[in-house]
Amino acid sequence: MFVNTITLLISFIFLYSLGHVYMTRVTYINKGNVEVVIGLLNQFISQNYYSPEAFTKEFNTILVQPQHDYCIKSDTYKYYHPDVIMNDTYTFREYRGVVKEALQQYFFDVLPNVNLHRNNKDQPHQFKLPLKLTLPFTYYDQLVHYFKIGQQSLCLFQKYNHMPQRASLSHKNRLMTNQMNYLRSLRQNGLDAVCIANATFLPKTYRLFNENECLQFFTYINSEVYEDKIKKDGPQFIIKMGKEVHRGRGINMLFPQEKEELNRKFDKGELCGSVKTFKVAQQYIVNPLLYKGHKIEFRVYWILASTNPIIAYAYDKTLIRRCIYPFDKFSLLKGAHVCNTAIVKSTLKKMQNEDDDNDSDETDDDDDNNDEISSQEDTLFIDWKLDHLQEILLKEGRIQNNQWLQNELLPKVDRMIIHAIRSTQHTFAKDSKLGEFFAADFLLTDDLDLHIMEINYNPQTLNTTEARKQQHFKMVQDMIEISNAYLRSRFTRFQRIIGKLLSELESKKQKGKDLITNHIGQEIHKAYVDRLEQGISISQGNLFRLLMDENLQGTRAYKDLIQEKCLI
């Protein structure tokens, strides 16, 4: 009996193994041809879309070894295993924090041990990009600069969360230059004052690296008119570093001391054009909307889901920040005027350290996230949707329409972001694999005028309370859902193209090198345009709202927020 059981078991194992080998052979019967087709498709897309020269480095910051045939292997694997794309999400992130925690909690982290190694000059590669990787979600854009696109990374069946030209929006000097050029173009095309006003999203700004604007600025701040103005209304300008400087660094109010230092550096304008600088002088809004006596700003998170064509979404949840000190337009405290998160945290840290010095001799452990600081900080951040702001304004009698948020404020917010994108999109690489995560910081004035103060990429995701952490977890999930929807739609379209090319190849109608005819090339271009296929949609529970989709015609591309007469 025992012998018969063993014999039966061995027979079963043998038959199972034979069946598995057979199924594997059947499944991959055309693998060679599939690899040829996928190689040609990646090559065609690299030749026609974004594919810069990669910097060859012996060491990189994520310790991942580039592989010259990675895209062929990865896309082929996904072709035979469509569930990898259509049902699952395989990702990784090298930077610790809330976003990485969210990715690991809700999706498959294929490189959980990858971390950031800044300025790596001696640590060898330890990892390879897994074939299953679909949505790399890195903090930095190493996969663009140090891996050859279409061969070693950013394959046909992947979507990335970065675009190299994001600085057009996030660098203050570039954003301001783009706005000026955009408005100039509108004027040259004869658009009227209403169109120009609606397209203006930043306060008046002088670029101190531009000689003429620099001279205008110093002439003005050293005039009697300016002196009378600051006596009446306080500081009139905020000085910002234009290049990639965020989180409160490089921001200074033009207080008397700062004016004196700036005059000294530029010799009251005599050195304009000679001093190397990225600084800009932005008009300071002297009548901000106040909450409990403090100046407030609100942050709108938004994403570029694609640059082929431009598709963007904005998040419904808003972080409202309150400056740490009560507002006084004559105050010399930076924290009364600038509501930046980093400034709030550093101020609270200083205040806590002063208390420790006075009340205790114990050593401070220098923990940025200690409970007392987090508790104080939490009072300065308000987890609102903007409808709570509407309730306050209604109670104060500032507005009468209980649809003000939907009918007035949000359309203004969306229109300003749309114009910011339109003013910069000429700099973007056109490619369906690219995208970016941004945050726009807005200021409402006391008379409810709206301004964008700046735009940041890779915006900070706070972790000071469990509620805020869960809010950011939800935002990450929603971003991934949108990326998946467009990637799955692209995968569906290219499955059909691959099937057609395989038939051509297997019937010997075309040799491999001749497969991509002009007609097929046009089909590839059409399939590579990002759009949602039938049966693939964004869920009702997703908190991102569509901002713009240039697949649509005319004003519909911008949710009818830009009049037809204002489009050029």
Side-chain angles (χ1 to χ4, degrees):
M1 180 69 178
F2 178 74
V3 173
N4 290 339
T5 302
I6 293 296
T7 303
L8 187 63
L9 184 61
I10 291 172
S11 299
F12 176 78
I13 293 172
F14 175 74
L15 289 172
Y16 174 81
S17 300
L18 188 64
H20 180 70
V21 169
Y22 174 75
M23 289 303 296
T24 301
R25 176 174 172 75
V26 169
T27 301
Y28 292 102
I29 193 79
N30 298 318
K31 184 180 178 184
N33 285 346
V34 171
E35 288 182 336
V36 168
V37 169
I38 282 175
L40 289 170
L41 289 173
N42 272 299
Q43 182 182 39
F44 180 88
I45 289 167
S46 294
Q47 289 171 346
N48 288 275
Y49 295 91
Y50 184 68
S51 184
E53 288 296 321
F55 297 103
T56 303
K57 294 185 70 173
E58 184 179 359
F59 307 104
N60 62 45
T61 58
I62 54 176
L63 311 187
V64 172
Q65 171 71 57
Q67 304 165 74
H68 74 279
D69 57 351
Y70 171 73
C71 281
I72 290 177
K73 290 182 176 179
S74 177
D75 287 341
T76 299
Y77 179 85
K78 290 162 188 163
Y79 177 77
Y80 285 112
H81 301 277
D83 283 358
V84 169
I85 290 178
M86 299 304 291
N87 294 332
D88 298 321
T89 301
Y90 295 89
T91 185
F92 83 95
R93 188 173 180 85
E94 85 289 20
Y95 201 79
R96 292 178 297 173
V98 174
V99 174
K100 183 165 185 171
E101 288 181 45
L103 293 173
Q104 290 181 328
Q105 179 164 327
Y106 296 105
F107 308 106
F108 294 105
D109 185 347
V110 293
L111 290 170
N113 297 318
V114 164
N115 292 302
L116 183 65
H117 299 266
R118 299 178 190 273
N119 304 315
N120 178 28
K121 296 181 180 178
D122 54 14
Q123 292 193 63
H125 303 305
Q126 297 179 16
F127 310 99
K128 292 182 179 179
L129 292 179
L131 300 184
K132 287 185 175 182
L133 179 62
T134 54
L135 299 179
F137 208 86
T138 58
Y139 187 85
Y140 294 106
D141 53 1
Q142 303 98 326
L143 297 186
V144 167
H145 296 298
Y146 304 119
F147 293 74
K148 180 63 179 173
I149 292 177
Q151 293 181 15
Q152 301 169 338
S153 73
L154 274 66
C155 313
L156 176 58
F157 298 146
Q158 289 177 343
K159 195 162 182 62
Y160 199 31
N161 66 313
H162 287 306
M163 65 168 191
Q165 300 81 18
R166 59 180 177 260
S168 298
L169 283 156
S170 65
H171 286 195
K172 300 171 187 69
N173 56 326
R174 295 191 188 183
L175 181 61
M176 291 165 185
T177 297
N178 284 320
Q179 177 183 251
M180 290 177 182
N181 292 337
Y182 181 57
L183 296 178
R184 184 183 303 116
S185 175
L186 297 182
R187 291 189 186 98
Q188 289 172 348
N189 280 273
L191 272 62
D192 64 25
V194 173
C195 293
I196 300 299
N198 285 336
T200 303
F201 51 87
L202 292 169
K204 180 175 176 58
T205 302
Y206 294 92
R207 300 170 297 170
L208 301 188
F209 51 87
N210 178 286
E211 185 174 358
N212 289 334
E213 292 177 31
C214 178
L215 285 168
Q216 291 173 26
F217 172 72
F218 280 99
T219 299
Y220 177 54
I221 67 168
N222 289 296
S223 68
E224 290 184 8
V225 173
Y226 180 77
E227 288 300 318
D228 291 340
K229 190 75 172 171
I230 61 174
K231 287 176 184 176
K232 178 184 176 184
D233 293 322
Q236 295 295 298
F237 290 97
I238 185 166
I239 308 300
K240 299 181 177 182
M241 181 59 71
K243 213 172 179 184
E244 193 167 354
V245 179
H246 300 289
R247 298 180 182 174
R249 298 186 296 271
I251 296 178
N252 288 293
M253 296 296 299
L254 195 63
F255 296 135
Q257 182 179 340
E258 282 71 20
K259 176 188 170 185
E260 184 180 333
E261 290 173 358
L262 208 58
N263 266 327
R264 186 163 53 248
K265 181 175 181 178
F266 284 83
D267 192 17
K268 295 187 175 181
E270 292 295 322
L271 296 180
C272 285
S274 300
V275 175
K276 281 194 169 184
T277 185
F278 289 104
K279 288 184 176 180
V280 297
Q282 188 177 80
Q283 179 186 352
Y284 181 62
I285 307 302
V286 297
N287 62 329
L289 181 67
L290 303 182
Y291 175 72
K292 295 183 178 180
H294 292 246
K295 177 181 173 181
I296 59 172
E297 297 175 355
F298 65 89
R299 167 165 284 192
V300 174
Y301 298 100
W302 61 278
I303 57 171
L304 268 177
S306 178
T307 61
N308 180 36
I310 301 296
I311 303 172
Y313 291 80
Y315 201 57
D316 278 345
K317 276 284 200 178
T318 303
L319 177 67
I320 301 183
R321 304 181 297 189
R322 183 157 62 99
C323 283
I324 190 166
Y325 296 119
F327 179 75
D328 178 349
K329 62 185 179 182
F330 296 106
S331 174
L332 297 181
L333 294 171
K334 184 177 180 180
H337 302 279
V338 182
C339 307
N340 187 276
T341 303
I343 291 173
V344 169
K345 289 178 76 72
S346 64
T347 304
L348 287 173
K349 186 75 177 292
K350 289 175 184 176
M351 291 165 63
Q352 178 64 33
N353 287 341
E354 288 173 5
D355 289 342
D356 288 344
D357 290 341
N358 292 331
D359 300 336
S360 173
D361 293 329
E362 293 179 10
T363 304
D364 184 7
D365 65 2
D366 198 34
D367 181 3
D368 284 339
N369 294 311
N370 71 63
D371 292 339
E372 187 166 352
I373 289 178
S374 295
S375 176
Q376 289 176 292
E377 182 186 343
D378 190 48
T379 65
L380 299 167
F381 297 90
I382 309 158
D383 283 327
W384 288 343
K385 293 185 76 171
L386 285 171
D387 50 3
H388 190 65
L389 176 62
Q390 176 177 277
E391 291 174 14
I392 290 174
L393 295 175
L394 283 168
K395 287 179 182 177
E396 293 179 351
R398 291 172 177 266
I399 59 175
Q400 283 72 46
N401 183 0
N402 60 9
Q403 295 299 311
W404 173 80
L405 175 61
Q406 294 299 327
N407 295 343
E408 295 186 45
L409 183 60
L410 286 181
K412 283 183 183 178
V413 166
D414 291 356
R415 183 167 55 237
M416 283 189 171
I417 296 176
I418 290 169
H419 279 300
I421 295 170
R422 281 172 56 81
S423 74
T424 54
Q425 70 182 83
H426 65 281
T427 68
F428 301 167
K430 184 179 179 180
D431 201 300
S432 302
K433 300 170 190 169
L434 304 178
E436 194 65 63
F437 175 33
F438 292 100
D441 292 336
F442 286 88
L443 177 71
L444 263 177
T445 67
D446 193 51
D447 48 9
L448 303 185
D449 283 339
L450 187 67
H451 302 275
I452 289 180
M453 305 312 294
E454 63 181 34
I455 294 175
N456 299 299
Y457 78 94
N458 270 342
Q460 208 171 13
T461 46
L462 298 172
N463 191 21
T464 52
T465 67
E466 184 61 27
R468 192 170 297 122
K469 178 179 177 180
Q470 292 306 317
Q471 177 180 318
H472 288 306
F473 272 27
K474 167 64 174 165
M475 182 168 63
V476 172
Q477 287 179 275
D478 289 349
M479 281 192 284
I480 293 295
E481 183 191 8
I482 291 170
S483 294
N484 268 330
Y486 286 101
L487 176 60
R488 289 166 182 171
S489 295
R490 187 198 316 154
F491 180 73
T492 300
R493 293 190 292 272
F494 273 92
Q495 278 182 311
R496 295 192 286 267
I497 289 178
I498 291 171
K500 181 182 292 188
L501 293 177
L502 283 175
S503 296
E504 293 284 328
L505 191 60
E506 288 161 10
S507 64
K508 306 298 182 184
K509 290 180 182 178
Q510 295 284 1
K511 294 181 180 179
K513 64 177 183 176
D514 300 322
L515 273 178
I516 311 296
T517 62
N518 287 337
H519 177 70
I520 289 294
Q522 291 305 310
E523 285 194 40
I524 294 171
H525 284 303
K526 186 176 179 181
Y528 200 57
V529 172
D530 260 333
R531 60 191 181 277
L532 297 181
E533 288 295 304
Q534 188 173 5
I536 298 175
S537 60
I538 311 300
S539 69
Q540 290 288 329
N542 194 302
L543 295 181
F544 278 95
R545 63 184 182 274
L546 184 66
L547 272 180
M548 60 185 288
D549 182 349
E550 292 193 337
N551 282 304
L552 304 174
Q553 297 300 308
T555 62
R556 291 178 59 233
Y558 313 107
K559 297 202 307 184
D560 294 321
L561 293 175
I562 302 178
Q563 295 174 281
E564 188 171 353
K565 68 175 183 177
C566 299
L567 292 176
I568 59 171

